[in-house]
Amino acid sequence: MKRGLIAATGVAAMLVSVAACGSGDDDDKAGADGFKGQTLTVWAMDGSTPDGWTKDVKAAFEKKTGAKLKFEIQQWNGIQQKVTTALSESDPPDVLEIGNTQTPSYAQTGGLAELGDLKKSIGADWSESINKSAVYDGKQYAAPWYAASRVVLYNKKIWAEAGIKDTPKTRTEFFRDLDAIKKKTDAEPIYLPGQNWYFFDGLTIGTGADLVKKDGDKWVSNLADPKVGKAMDIYKQYQSFSQAPKDKDEATPQQGEVFAKGKTGAFIGMGWEAGVAIKANPKIEKDIGYFTIPGETADKPEGVFLGGSNLAVAAGSDKQELAKEFLKIALSDTYEGQLAKEGGVLPNKDSLQDQLKGNAAAQAAAPATASGGTTPLIPEWAAVENAPNPIKTYMTAVLNGKAPADAAKSVEDEMNKRLSQEH
């Protein structure tokens, strides 16, 4: 998963992977202020730690504990293997930023420390939807740090030309608006390629569908479930308003670049994709608006995929208590709120969403947090998304006229093969 931060819009996006670091040799001394002479090393992914937040957290940690805090920024290339290796060594990282959907696989290996006590002390009001990925096999193996989700980015000029006065609050209203754009302007109502898989995942969350199910002791495909079919039918309705190819995803070509041409009413994407459009066509910035993807009823937004990061403590770190002191500071309302404000990311508590004020894309994403979710939180899932993703194949098949149940059957063997791979 990737993360981008576009300064032009001040909006961060996360589909985040993992990071790790080395630790020092000194043993923990119990209690705050009893850690002088020690150094806690935190590996964070490139782009995850804004400068102001990093400086302030470091100062607060060092003042409280007497220890030193060292951030080591990691690059994306090869990071998952690097983390796997680090967790297996005798001198592992102390604190790790790990992608939310990768958390189960690291927890399963025994590489992460249990943080149930931390959850009790500071996590009573963590957002349930964001915290879910930090729990594996009923135990807390990480702490939720931040998330991001998709919103609707729209061209205000085109919507005005179509006579639309307000943004839609329900899916039916959204379809009505797209139809108005189709009939009253020469613009493409929405750009939606056939394989925008993470938007589809959000729709399955909205219909209460599970993409996998247990068959004995194995996970197998559940794409034939009628609830998955219902989500795909909704996707098909959206896609009927688009001229985008049915066999490509949102990155081929970059949908922000398509939107930049000024001939598209809307697209569904991450807030940072506005920066892609602005870079391609600076004049379009004044026309870009954002709204929450509407659900079936006005009181509940559409389900969305919540990409993001958790913070974890390595099971083999000899600085367990010091690491928890860091987490208590970094995840406090003060610094969690600062991260949301500086980075434009969704905080781990709904009560901190007021820190997003002034960031239009993040404010549009926030209401859907409670109804959001992730891909299946099982270690076996990672192989499913490797190219060519069989779910993308399923989506294209349905859009080309195949019944959802038949399309599901056509990729079932491949799904099950991937779910049974060693991981």
Side-chain angles (χ1 to χ4, degrees), residues 402-423:
K402 215 166 199 176
D406 292 337
K409 191 171 180 59
S410 70
V411 300
E412 190 174 85
D413 288 347
E414 180 62 24
M415 278 272 288
N416 292 344
K417 177 183 174 185
R418 294 180 182 216
L419 286 166
S420 66
Q421 286 178 14
E422 293 295 324
H423 47 87

Side-chain angles (χ1 to χ4, degrees), residues 14 68 76 80 117 126 145 153 173-174 180 188 202 218 222-223 225 231 251 274 280 308 313-314 360 369 415:
M14 284 95 315
K68 296 293 183 184
W76 296 107
Q80 293 189 47
D117 56 341
W126 285 340
W145 193 18
L153 297 90
E173 290 177 5
F174 195 6
E188 179 181 20
K218 289 183 178 180
N222 195 41
L223 291 186
D225 186 327
V313 176
T369 302
M415 278 272 288

Side-chain angles (χ1 to χ4, degrees), residues 176-219:
R176 179 200 64 198
D177 291 343
L178 294 176
D179 193 52
I181 294 170
K182 181 180 180 180
K183 290 175 177 175
K184 297 179 181 180
T185 77
D186 60 356
E188 179 181 20
I190 188 170
Y191 182 83
L192 181 65
Q195 298 183 347
N196 190 331
W197 141 242
Y198 285 113
F199 172 48
F200 173 61
D201 183 56
L203 295 178
T204 67
I205 291 164
T207 61
D210 293 314
L211 297 173
V212 295
K213 63 183 179 182
K214 260 294 180 67
D215 180 15
D217 61 351
K218 289 183 178 180
W219 289 102

Side-chain angles (χ1 to χ4, degrees), residues 176-398:
R176 179 200 64 198
D177 291 343
L178 294 176
D179 193 52
I181 294 170
K182 181 180 180 180
K183 290 175 177 175
K184 297 179 181 180
T185 77
D186 60 356
E188 179 181 20
I190 188 170
Y191 182 83
L192 181 65
Q195 298 183 347
N196 190 331
W197 141 242
Y198 285 113
F199 172 48
F200 173 61
D201 183 56
L203 295 178
T204 67
I205 291 164
T207 61
D210 293 314
L211 297 173
V212 295
K213 63 183 179 182
K214 260 294 180 67
D215 180 15
D217 61 351
K218 289 183 178 180
W219 289 102
V220 297
S221 171
N222 195 41
L223 291 186
D225 186 327
K227 290 180 182 178
V228 178
K230 180 181 178 183
M232 194 60 220
D233 284 339
I234 296 168
Y235 191 101
K236 191 172 184 178
Q237 289 180 68
Y238 275 111
Q239 218 276 328
S240 70
F241 290 100
S242 179
Q243 297 155 22
K246 294 178 173 62
D247 61 349
K248 296 286 190 280
D249 64 19
E250 69 276 17
T252 354
Q254 286 288 339
Q255 56 185 5
E257 293 178 355
V258 175
F259 184 79
K261 297 174 184 176
K263 298 292 185 182
T264 303
F267 73 99
I268 293 166
M270 306 299 291
W272 62 265
E273 291 181 82
V276 175
I278 293 164
K279 184 177 180 182
N281 177 14
K283 292 181 180 179
I284 204 167
E285 183 171 10
K286 68 183 186 304
D287 296 326
I288 300 176
Y290 310 84
F291 61 86
T292 309
I293 304 172
E296 191 169 348
T297 58
D299 60 334
K300 186 179 181 182
E302 186 57 80
V304 292
F305 170 76
L306 294 170
S309 273
N310 298 325
L311 291 175
V313 176
S317 168
D318 59 8
K319 295 182 173 60
Q320 299 282 322
E321 293 306 314
L322 185 58
K324 289 175 186 176
E325 289 298 324
F326 166 76
L327 293 179
K328 288 175 185 176
I329 292 169
L331 300 171
S332 67
D333 286 2
T334 297
Y335 298 112
E336 184 72 11
Q338 183 178 345
L339 184 72
K341 190 169 188 174
E342 259 192 271
V345 296
L346 300 175
N348 64 11
K349 296 180 180 180
D350 294 345
S351 60
L352 295 174
Q353 289 181 358
D354 59 350
Q355 296 298 316
L356 301 172
K357 189 175 180 180
N359 186 324
Q363 283 185 281
T369 302
S371 52
T374 65
T375 52
L377 293 169
I378 57 173
E380 295 87 349
W381 181 256
V384 174
E385 290 193 50
N386 291 337
N389 183 340
I391 300 180
K392 290 185 175 183
T393 304
Y394 159 85
M395 293 169 69
T396 297
V398 174

Side-chain angles (χ1 to χ4, degrees), residues 9-94:
T9 60
V11 179
M14 284 95 315
L15 291 173
V16 191
S17 196
V18 289
C21 65
S23 67
D25 297 319
D26 296 332
D27 293 328
D28 266 344
K29 299 178 181 65
D33 298 318
F35 304 103
K36 289 180 181 176
Q38 296 189 45
T39 297
L40 189 82
T41 311
V42 178
W43 277 10
M45 294 308 297
D46 186 20
S48 292
T49 51
D51 291 342
W53 181 91
T54 303
K55 179 182 176 184
D56 291 349
V57 166
K58 188 173 188 292
F61 173 84
E62 295 184 349
K63 180 179 180 181
K64 182 180 179 183
T65 66
K68 296 293 183 184
L69 181 62
K70 183 180 181 185
F71 281 101
E72 292 187 354
I73 304 303
Q74 303 299 306
Q75 300 304 313
W76 296 107
N77 191 32
I79 190 61
Q80 293 189 47
Q81 184 57 49
K82 188 172 184 180
V83 171
T84 300
T85 301
L87 289 175
S88 69
E89 292 176 340
S90 59
D91 184 27
D94 299 311

